[in-house]
Amino acid sequence: MEIVNNILDLEKLQTDGSFPLEKERFDLCQQIEYAVSMLKAQAAKKDIDLQYKFKESSVIIEADRQQISRVLQNLLSNAIKYTPRGGNVCIESFLENGNVVVSVQDNGYGIPEDELPYVFERFRRVSKHRGIAAGTGLGLAITKALIEAHGGQISVASKEGEGSMFSFRLPLEPQPENKGSL
């Protein structure tokens, strides 16, 4: 069912360039704690140490809670999938220049430098990782579109054999709806 929803969401974005958001005020730190709790079992199966660090105990944002949860779960799930047994995954949040920054860092397989510019493209998967974990190549494209629809930005830094860090920033003040693009 998730793949069908992902394809439908991508089609909506491609057709009219927007994504309907149901914005509300909520504590992003609580949402991160929830995402971590949802993925603890997945991490435990691989003996991965899953941690979170907050610079602030509470960060109130106005965003679509369900879609931000989707972003968090996708980034954490990917980090766990692409980290070998016994590895580490850490999610951290902090405030910077009127934005909240959230980063998910792992010490996993990493992404080859020549593939980094394409990781957010639809149906794109790192060629060396196809045998490591199942996937459709839609999750990061949707994640990027959702962050951009909230007026934010997402980036990746990675070194093959050392791990990856996906970071996104969201404005603390409500923004006019942006049109996400894929």
Side-chain angles (χ1 to χ4, degrees), residues 28-29 32 53-56 59 91-104 165 167-170 172:
L28 180 61
C29 295
I32 291 170
K53 299 176 184 173
F54 301 131
K55 300 282 189 212
E56 288 77 21
V59 175
I91 184 167
E92 182 177 6
S93 70
F94 58 92
L95 300 179
E96 181 180 84
N97 300 326
N99 295 284
V100 60
V101 179
V102 178
S103 63
V104 176
M165 181 169 66
S167 299
F168 67 86
R169 67 179 51 244
L170 293 172
L172 290 173

mmCIF file of all heavy atoms in Angstrom, residues 28-29 32 53-56 59 91-104 165 167-170 172:
data_model
loop_
_atom_site.group_PDB
_atom_site.id
_atom_site.type_symbol
_atom_site.label_atom_id
_atom_site.label_comp_id
_atom_site.label_asym_id
_atom_site.label_seq_id
_atom_site.Cartn_x
_atom_site.Cartn_y
_atom_site.Cartn_z
ATOM 1 N N LEU A 28 8.109 19.518 17.371
ATOM 2 C CA LEU A 28 8.911 18.662 16.496
ATOM 3 C C LEU A 28 9.728 17.658 17.308
ATOM 4 O O LEU A 28 9.905 16.515 16.873
ATOM 5 C CB LEU A 28 9.826 19.508 15.612
ATOM 6 C CG LEU A 28 10.718 18.735 14.641
ATOM 7 C CD1 LEU A 28 9.890 17.926 13.653
ATOM 8 C CD2 LEU A 28 11.651 19.684 13.906
ATOM 9 N N CYS A 29 10.204 18.050 18.489
ATOM 10 C CA CYS A 29 10.988 17.126 19.317
ATOM 11 C C CYS A 29 10.154 15.901 19.699
ATOM 12 O O CYS A 29 10.656 14.772 19.672
ATOM 13 C CB CYS A 29 11.522 17.837 20.557
ATOM 14 S SG CYS A 29 12.699 19.153 20.169
ATOM 15 N N ILE A 32 9.938 13.661 16.698
ATOM 16 C CA ILE A 32 11.183 12.912 16.502
ATOM 17 C C ILE A 32 11.224 11.728 17.472
ATOM 18 O O ILE A 32 11.559 10.610 17.078
ATOM 19 C CB ILE A 32 12.411 13.827 16.676
ATOM 20 C CG1 ILE A 32 12.486 14.835 15.517
ATOM 21 C CG2 ILE A 32 13.704 13.004 16.765
ATOM 22 C CD1 ILE A 32 13.521 15.933 15.701
ATOM 23 N N LYS A 53 19.393 13.381 19.777
ATOM 24 C CA LYS A 53 19.964 14.462 20.580
ATOM 25 C C LYS A 53 19.242 15.754 20.234
ATOM 26 O O LYS A 53 19.102 16.096 19.060
ATOM 27 C CB LYS A 53 21.453 14.634 20.268
ATOM 28 C CG LYS A 53 22.302 13.428 20.573
ATOM 29 C CD LYS A 53 23.743 13.665 20.145
ATOM 30 C CE LYS A 53 24.568 12.415 20.357
ATOM 31 N NZ LYS A 53 25.921 12.560 19.804
ATOM 32 N N PHE A 54 18.803 16.461 21.271
ATOM 33 C CA PHE A 54 18.145 17.744 21.073
ATOM 34 C C PHE A 54 18.967 18.831 21.743
ATOM 35 O O PHE A 54 19.401 18.662 22.879
ATOM 36 C CB PHE A 54 16.748 17.760 21.709
ATOM 37 C CG PHE A 54 15.810 16.710 21.179
ATOM 38 C CD1 PHE A 54 15.092 15.911 22.046
ATOM 39 C CD2 PHE A 54 15.631 16.538 19.824
ATOM 40 C CE1 PHE A 54 14.209 14.964 21.580
ATOM 41 C CE2 PHE A 54 14.753 15.589 19.340
ATOM 42 C CZ PHE A 54 14.040 14.802 20.218
ATOM 43 N N LYS A 55 19.146 19.942 21.060
ATOM 44 C CA LYS A 55 19.770 21.110 21.691
ATOM 45 C C LYS A 55 18.724 21.845 22.532
ATOM 46 O O LYS A 55 19.030 22.425 23.541
ATOM 47 C CB LYS A 55 20.344 22.067 20.644
ATOM 48 C CG LYS A 55 21.390 21.465 19.756
ATOM 49 C CD LYS A 55 22.721 21.360 20.438
ATOM 50 C CE LYS A 55 23.745 20.948 19.398
ATOM 51 N NZ LYS A 55 24.804 20.149 19.851
ATOM 52 N N GLU A 56 17.456 21.818 22.065
ATOM 53 C CA GLU A 56 16.336 22.411 22.784
ATOM 54 C C GLU A 56 15.369 21.294 23.176
ATOM 55 O O GLU A 56 15.226 20.322 22.443
ATOM 56 C CB GLU A 56 15.592 23.430 21.908
ATOM 57 C CG GLU A 56 16.355 24.720 21.667
ATOM 58 C CD GLU A 56 17.456 24.592 20.634
ATOM 59 O OE1 GLU A 56 17.394 23.653 19.820
ATOM 60 O OE2 GLU A 56 18.380 25.401 20.640
ATOM 61 N N VAL A 59 10.617 22.316 20.307
ATOM 62 C CA VAL A 59 10.667 23.199 19.135
ATOM 63 C C VAL A 59 9.289 23.143 18.481
ATOM 64 O O VAL A 59 8.905 22.121 17.911
ATOM 65 C CB VAL A 59 11.761 22.763 18.125
ATOM 66 C CG1 VAL A 59 11.706 23.629 16.875
ATOM 67 C CG2 VAL A 59 13.142 22.809 18.752
ATOM 68 N N ILE A 91 19.834 10.838 15.283
ATOM 69 C CA ILE A 91 19.066 11.974 14.782
ATOM 70 C C ILE A 91 19.246 13.117 15.772
ATOM 71 O O ILE A 91 19.203 12.920 16.987
ATOM 72 C CB ILE A 91 17.576 11.611 14.568
ATOM 73 C CG1 ILE A 91 16.825 12.789 13.939
ATOM 74 C CG2 ILE A 91 16.925 11.114 15.840
ATOM 75 C CD1 ILE A 91 15.456 12.415 13.403
ATOM 76 N N GLU A 92 19.498 14.294 15.238
ATOM 77 C CA GLU A 92 19.798 15.457 16.065
ATOM 78 C C GLU A 92 18.992 16.641 15.549
ATOM 79 O O GLU A 92 18.737 16.741 14.345
ATOM 80 C CB GLU A 92 21.293 15.761 15.964
ATOM 81 C CG GLU A 92 21.761 16.907 16.800
ATOM 82 C CD GLU A 92 23.269 17.104 16.705
ATOM 83 O OE1 GLU A 92 23.933 16.430 15.920
ATOM 84 O OE2 GLU A 92 23.764 17.975 17.441
ATOM 85 N N SER A 93 18.582 17.522 16.449
ATOM 86 C CA SER A 93 17.910 18.748 16.016
ATOM 87 C C SER A 93 18.483 19.931 16.787
ATOM 88 O O SER A 93 18.893 19.807 17.936
ATOM 89 C CB SER A 93 16.399 18.655 16.226
ATOM 90 O OG SER A 93 16.076 18.688 17.596
ATOM 91 N N PHE A 94 18.507 21.077 16.091
ATOM 92 C CA PHE A 94 18.986 22.312 16.714
ATOM 93 C C PHE A 94 18.419 23.497 15.937
ATOM 94 O O PHE A 94 17.933 23.344 14.811
ATOM 95 C CB PHE A 94 20.519 22.364 16.764
ATOM 96 C CG PHE A 94 21.195 22.243 15.425
ATOM 97 C CD1 PHE A 94 21.517 23.369 14.680
ATOM 98 C CD2 PHE A 94 21.518 20.995 14.916
ATOM 99 C CE1 PHE A 94 22.134 23.249 13.448
ATOM 100 C CE2 PHE A 94 22.137 20.862 13.684
ATOM 101 C CZ PHE A 94 22.450 21.996 12.944
ATOM 102 N N LEU A 95 18.455 24.665 16.560
ATOM 103 C CA LEU A 95 17.973 25.890 15.933
ATOM 104 C C LEU A 95 19.134 26.638 15.310
ATOM 105 O O LEU A 95 20.238 26.676 15.855
ATOM 106 C CB LEU A 95 17.282 26.780 16.968
ATOM 107 C CG LEU A 95 16.076 26.169 17.672
ATOM 108 C CD1 LEU A 95 15.505 27.152 18.693
ATOM 109 C CD2 LEU A 95 15.012 25.744 16.674
ATOM 110 N N GLU A 96 18.855 27.248 14.129
ATOM 111 C CA GLU A 96 19.893 28.004 13.429
ATOM 112 C C GLU A 96 19.236 29.030 12.508
ATOM 113 O O GLU A 96 18.492 28.654 11.592
ATOM 114 C CB GLU A 96 20.770 27.035 12.624
ATOM 115 C CG GLU A 96 21.896 27.704 11.862
ATOM 116 C CD GLU A 96 22.712 26.690 11.090
ATOM 117 O OE1 GLU A 96 22.290 26.331 9.959
ATOM 118 O OE2 GLU A 96 23.740 26.258 11.613
ATOM 119 N N ASN A 97 19.491 30.303 12.759
ATOM 120 C CA ASN A 97 19.036 31.389 11.885
ATOM 121 C C ASN A 97 17.549 31.318 11.529
ATOM 122 O O ASN A 97 17.171 31.405 10.364
ATOM 123 C CB ASN A 97 19.864 31.408 10.592
ATOM 124 C CG ASN A 97 21.332 31.623 10.849
ATOM 125 O OD1 ASN A 97 21.714 32.335 11.772
ATOM 126 N ND2 ASN A 97 22.166 30.998 10.047
ATOM 127 N N GLY A 98 16.684 31.151 12.519
ATOM 128 C CA GLY A 98 15.249 31.137 12.287
ATOM 129 C C GLY A 98 14.707 29.836 11.704
ATOM 130 O O GLY A 98 13.575 29.784 11.245
ATOM 131 N N ASN A 99 15.529 28.808 11.724
ATOM 132 C CA ASN A 99 15.130 27.493 11.214
ATOM 133 C C ASN A 99 15.416 26.435 12.265
ATOM 134 O O ASN A 99 16.266 26.622 13.133
ATOM 135 C CB ASN A 99 15.951 27.125 9.968
ATOM 136 C CG ASN A 99 15.695 28.029 8.804
ATOM 137 O OD1 ASN A 99 14.668 27.931 8.149
ATOM 138 N ND2 ASN A 99 16.621 28.941 8.533
ATOM 139 N N VAL A 100 14.723 25.311 12.139
ATOM 140 C CA VAL A 100 15.101 24.128 12.897
ATOM 141 C C VAL A 100 15.812 23.221 11.898
ATOM 142 O O VAL A 100 15.371 23.066 10.753
ATOM 143 C CB VAL A 100 13.896 23.423 13.563
ATOM 144 C CG1 VAL A 100 12.867 22.974 12.546
ATOM 145 C CG2 VAL A 100 14.369 22.253 14.415
ATOM 146 N N VAL A 101 16.941 22.685 12.313
ATOM 147 C CA VAL A 101 17.716 21.775 11.474
ATOM 148 C C VAL A 101 17.649 20.395 12.109
ATOM 149 O O VAL A 101 17.868 20.248 13.305
ATOM 150 C CB VAL A 101 19.182 22.234 11.352
ATOM 151 C CG1 VAL A 101 19.985 21.253 10.497
ATOM 152 C CG2 VAL A 101 19.268 23.644 10.775
ATOM 153 N N VAL A 102 17.323 19.399 11.296
ATOM 154 C CA VAL A 102 17.267 18.014 11.750
ATOM 155 C C VAL A 102 18.225 17.216 10.871
ATOM 156 O O VAL A 102 18.169 17.312 9.642
ATOM 157 C CB VAL A 102 15.839 17.436 11.634
ATOM 158 C CG1 VAL A 102 15.816 15.975 12.058
ATOM 159 C CG2 VAL A 102 14.854 18.254 12.463
ATOM 160 N N SER A 103 19.109 16.466 11.514
ATOM 161 C CA SER A 103 20.034 15.634 10.739
ATOM 162 C C SER A 103 19.946 14.192 11.216
ATOM 163 O O SER A 103 19.784 13.921 12.397
ATOM 164 C CB SER A 103 21.467 16.143 10.860
ATOM 165 O OG SER A 103 21.915 16.056 12.183
ATOM 166 N N VAL A 104 20.030 13.286 10.251
ATOM 167 C CA VAL A 104 20.056 11.848 10.518
ATOM 168 C C VAL A 104 21.393 11.350 9.992
ATOM 169 O O VAL A 104 21.655 11.413 8.798
ATOM 170 C CB VAL A 104 18.888 11.115 9.830
ATOM 171 C CG1 VAL A 104 19.007 9.613 10.054
ATOM 172 C CG2 VAL A 104 17.555 11.637 10.338
ATOM 173 N N MET A 165 24.873 11.487 6.027
ATOM 174 C CA MET A 165 24.102 12.386 6.870
ATOM 175 C C MET A 165 23.114 13.134 5.975
ATOM 176 O O MET A 165 23.517 13.853 5.063
ATOM 177 C CB MET A 165 24.962 13.384 7.620
ATOM 178 C CG MET A 165 24.120 14.282 8.517
ATOM 179 S SD MET A 165 25.052 15.287 9.685
ATOM 180 C CE MET A 165 25.932 16.372 8.600
ATOM 181 N N SER A 167 20.244 15.956 6.074
ATOM 182 C CA SER A 167 19.822 17.073 6.920
ATOM 183 C C SER A 167 18.732 17.856 6.223
ATOM 184 O O SER A 167 18.785 18.069 5.012
ATOM 185 C CB SER A 167 20.999 18.018 7.187
ATOM 186 O OG SER A 167 22.034 17.356 7.857
ATOM 187 N N PHE A 168 17.747 18.270 7.017
ATOM 188 C CA PHE A 168 16.755 19.187 6.465
ATOM 189 C C PHE A 168 16.562 20.335 7.425
ATOM 190 O O PHE A 168 16.814 20.229 8.620
ATOM 191 C CB PHE A 168 15.437 18.486 6.119
ATOM 192 C CG PHE A 168 14.650 17.948 7.284
ATOM 193 C CD1 PHE A 168 13.759 18.755 7.984
ATOM 194 C CD2 PHE A 168 14.758 16.614 7.649
ATOM 195 C CE1 PHE A 168 13.007 18.241 9.033
ATOM 196 C CE2 PHE A 168 14.006 16.090 8.684
ATOM 197 C CZ PHE A 168 13.133 16.917 9.381
ATOM 198 N N ARG A 169 16.151 21.445 6.850
ATOM 199 C CA ARG A 169 15.859 22.635 7.648
ATOM 200 C C ARG A 169 14.466 23.107 7.300
ATOM 201 O O ARG A 169 14.066 23.084 6.145
ATOM 202 C CB ARG A 169 16.905 23.720 7.469
ATOM 203 C CG ARG A 169 17.012 24.379 6.154
ATOM 204 C CD ARG A 169 18.079 25.490 6.070
ATOM 205 N NE ARG A 169 19.374 25.050 6.545
ATOM 206 C CZ ARG A 169 20.002 25.559 7.627
ATOM 207 N NH1 ARG A 169 19.479 26.545 8.299
ATOM 208 N NH2 ARG A 169 21.160 25.106 7.991
ATOM 209 N N LEU A 170 13.741 23.484 8.349
ATOM 210 C CA LEU A 170 12.392 24.013 8.201
ATOM 211 C C LEU A 170 12.330 25.367 8.896
ATOM 212 O O LEU A 170 12.902 25.545 9.977
ATOM 213 C CB LEU A 170 11.366 23.085 8.852
ATOM 214 C CG LEU A 170 11.163 21.719 8.221
ATOM 215 C CD1 LEU A 170 10.266 20.853 9.105
ATOM 216 C CD2 LEU A 170 10.565 21.864 6.834
ATOM 217 N N LEU A 172 10.986 28.274 11.228
ATOM 218 C CA LEU A 172 10.212 28.272 12.470
ATOM 219 C C LEU A 172 8.919 29.073 12.324
ATOM 220 O O LEU A 172 7.925 28.768 12.963
ATOM 221 C CB LEU A 172 11.040 28.832 13.625
ATOM 222 C CG LEU A 172 12.188 27.931 14.066
ATOM 223 C CD1 LEU A 172 13.055 28.637 15.101
ATOM 224 C CD2 LEU A 172 11.668 26.618 14.630
#
